[in-house]
Amino acid sequence: MTGRSHADYLEFASARGPHLFRTAFLLTGDRHLAEDLVQETLGKLFRSWRRVRDVDNPAAYADTVLVRTFLSYRRRRSSGERPAAVLPDVPDTADPISGAALRLTLLDGLARLPVQDRAVLVLRYWEDRSVEETAQAMRVSPGAVRNRSARALDRLRGVLGDHSPDLIRRRLG
């Protein structure tokens, strides 16, 4: 890699890293795993940077690599290991819909969904991607994305239980 190409990569990685981390954290619910996924994604981009920098949208390409890296990780047998079933930090339950509690409730709800459901919800609603972009990133048809989105939202509502109407009202209100 030439000096200029290396500098271009470092600039891209510095600018895009925080976004990749946020997306990875939403997908995994685990800060350390999110860091690992971002590092692996950036390593893959570095190896093929000459080709990546010439694509129309390197940022979208990086997001796609991250999602595929996450899906690949989840298929590994070792990804099912969990150090603890319950986190010791519990949010204040006085107002279950406060900002921090809302975020924790939603993250917990996402963490309880199957991997594909979580990925489609994060891409469609957090990343605000179109059905077609989500389908391309997940390597499925647009119809499958629409179907999975509807089912994943229903599952998320089921996981959120009693908080679901309050969360929707607060989010839309």
mmCIF file of all heavy atoms in Angstrom, residues 40 59 79 81 128 140 144 150 153 164:
data_model
loop_
_atom_site.group_PDB
_atom_site.id
_atom_site.type_symbol
_atom_site.label_atom_id
_atom_site.label_comp_id
_atom_site.label_asym_id
_atom_site.label_seq_id
_atom_site.Cartn_x
_atom_site.Cartn_y
_atom_site.Cartn_z
ATOM 1 N N GLU A 40 -12.185 -6.329 13.413
ATOM 2 C CA GLU A 40 -12.138 -7.315 12.341
ATOM 3 C C GLU A 40 -12.612 -6.711 11.021
ATOM 4 O O GLU A 40 -12.024 -6.958 9.970
ATOM 5 C CB GLU A 40 -13.001 -8.522 12.711
ATOM 6 C CG GLU A 40 -12.826 -9.684 11.765
ATOM 7 C CD GLU A 40 -13.527 -10.936 12.251
ATOM 8 O OE1 GLU A 40 -13.814 -11.057 13.457
ATOM 9 O OE2 GLU A 40 -13.777 -11.802 11.400
ATOM 10 N N ALA A 59 -18.449 3.886 2.750
ATOM 11 C CA ALA A 59 -19.082 3.804 4.071
ATOM 12 C C ALA A 59 -20.148 2.708 4.085
ATOM 13 O O ALA A 59 -20.228 1.929 5.033
ATOM 14 C CB ALA A 59 -19.695 5.151 4.449
ATOM 15 N N SER A 79 -19.914 -18.632 19.708
ATOM 16 C CA SER A 79 -20.613 -17.368 19.955
ATOM 17 C C SER A 79 -21.752 -17.512 20.945
ATOM 18 O O SER A 79 -22.282 -16.528 21.424
ATOM 19 C CB SER A 79 -21.147 -16.788 18.641
ATOM 20 O OG SER A 79 -22.254 -17.544 18.188
ATOM 21 N N GLU A 81 -21.534 -18.702 23.941
ATOM 22 C CA GLU A 81 -21.065 -18.609 25.318
ATOM 23 C C GLU A 81 -21.459 -17.271 25.915
ATOM 24 O O GLU A 81 -21.336 -16.237 25.283
ATOM 25 C CB GLU A 81 -19.545 -18.760 25.374
ATOM 26 C CG GLU A 81 -19.070 -20.111 24.891
ATOM 27 C CD GLU A 81 -17.555 -20.199 24.861
ATOM 28 O OE1 GLU A 81 -16.893 -19.245 25.291
ATOM 29 O OE2 GLU A 81 -17.061 -21.226 24.401
ATOM 30 N N ASP A 128 -31.710 3.309 9.435
ATOM 31 C CA ASP A 128 -32.648 3.933 8.499
ATOM 32 C C ASP A 128 -32.331 3.561 7.044
ATOM 33 O O ASP A 128 -32.318 4.402 6.152
ATOM 34 C CB ASP A 128 -32.649 5.449 8.676
ATOM 35 C CG ASP A 128 -33.884 6.086 8.069
ATOM 36 O OD1 ASP A 128 -34.926 5.401 8.016
ATOM 37 O OD2 ASP A 128 -33.814 7.257 7.654
ATOM 38 N N VAL A 140 -30.340 -11.386 1.332
ATOM 39 C CA VAL A 140 -31.664 -11.992 1.234
ATOM 40 C C VAL A 140 -32.491 -11.146 0.278
ATOM 41 O O VAL A 140 -32.077 -10.073 -0.146
ATOM 42 C CB VAL A 140 -32.372 -12.085 2.615
ATOM 43 C CG1 VAL A 140 -31.605 -12.995 3.560
ATOM 44 C CG2 VAL A 140 -32.563 -10.722 3.234
ATOM 45 N N ALA A 144 -38.089 -10.981 1.823
ATOM 46 C CA ALA A 144 -37.673 -11.605 3.089
ATOM 47 C C ALA A 144 -37.413 -10.540 4.150
ATOM 48 O O ALA A 144 -37.722 -10.747 5.329
ATOM 49 C CB ALA A 144 -36.430 -12.461 2.873
ATOM 50 N N ALA A 150 -41.508 -7.348 9.874
ATOM 51 C CA ALA A 150 -42.815 -7.416 10.538
ATOM 52 C C ALA A 150 -42.780 -8.423 11.685
ATOM 53 O O ALA A 150 -43.251 -8.129 12.800
ATOM 54 C CB ALA A 150 -43.897 -7.792 9.533
ATOM 55 N N LEU A 153 -40.560 -7.101 14.607
ATOM 56 C CA LEU A 153 -41.244 -6.080 15.405
ATOM 57 C C LEU A 153 -42.268 -6.718 16.336
ATOM 58 O O LEU A 153 -42.401 -6.310 17.493
ATOM 59 C CB LEU A 153 -41.911 -5.047 14.492
ATOM 60 C CG LEU A 153 -40.970 -4.045 13.831
ATOM 61 C CD1 LEU A 153 -41.716 -3.193 12.816
ATOM 62 C CD2 LEU A 153 -40.288 -3.177 14.869
ATOM 63 N N SER A 164 -44.277 -1.920 26.032
ATOM 64 C CA SER A 164 -44.394 -1.647 24.607
ATOM 65 C C SER A 164 -45.275 -0.445 24.279
ATOM 66 O O SER A 164 -44.846 0.450 23.565
ATOM 67 C CB SER A 164 -44.881 -2.896 23.868
ATOM 68 O OG SER A 164 -44.911 -2.681 22.492
#
